[in-house]
Amino acid sequence: MKEIGQEHGEAHLRLVLQLIVGTPANAIELYAGIIKAVSSLLARNPDLIGRRTLLQDFDAIDLGSLRRKAEMMEVGIATRPRAAGASDLAVFQTHA
């Protein structure tokens, strides 16, 4: 979390955490991979931050189910913004 705060600022980190803990079911998903993925999502799509319904929209996502499905597929979760010209595959951290 320190890394995210340093790279994107405290307001970004606060929003990431608010989005994750918006529902009791999602609040238990404070895993490093989920935190990094939500941060990356916001960093790659800054227009999301201005959405009036962002918190409600995010509350509708079952982060636990999404995390478990990604683990079963062994594809990983996007954990950092993509560098210009880099492949989408470069931002995925796979499970060993």
Side-chain angles (χ1 to χ4, degrees), residues 6-69:
Q6 289 174 336
E7 185 173 340
H8 300 288
E10 289 182 21
H12 173 91
L13 180 57
R14 187 173 22 261
L15 178 58
V16 167
L17 295 174
Q18 285 176 329
L19 292 173
I20 296 171
V21 302
T23 66
N26 283 345
I28 63 173
E29 294 300 323
L30 281 172
Y31 292 96
I34 292 289
I35 295 167
K36 289 178 182 180
V38 172
S39 175
S40 178
L41 176 72
L42 294 176
R44 292 176 72 167
N45 301 281
D47 58 305
L48 290 176
I49 296 169
R51 283 194 185 176
R52 234 178 359 100
T53 60
L54 179 62
L55 293 173
Q56 296 86 353
D57 293 343
F58 222 87
D59 286 350
I61 299 170
D62 181 345
L63 293 176
S65 175
L66 185 61
R67 179 184 52 79
R68 287 186 297 278
K69 287 176 183 175

Side-chain angles (χ1 to χ4, degrees), residues 3-4 7-8 12 32-45 75-84 86-94:
E3 183 180 295
I4 292 170
E7 185 173 340
H8 300 288
H12 173 91
I34 292 289
I35 295 167
K36 289 178 182 180
V38 172
S39 175
S40 178
L41 176 72
L42 294 176
R44 292 176 72 167
N45 301 281
V75 295
I77 299 172
T79 58
R80 64 183 185 278
R82 179 173 33 144
S87 158
D88 277 336
L89 295 177
V91 299
F92 281 87
Q93 183 178 46
T94 58

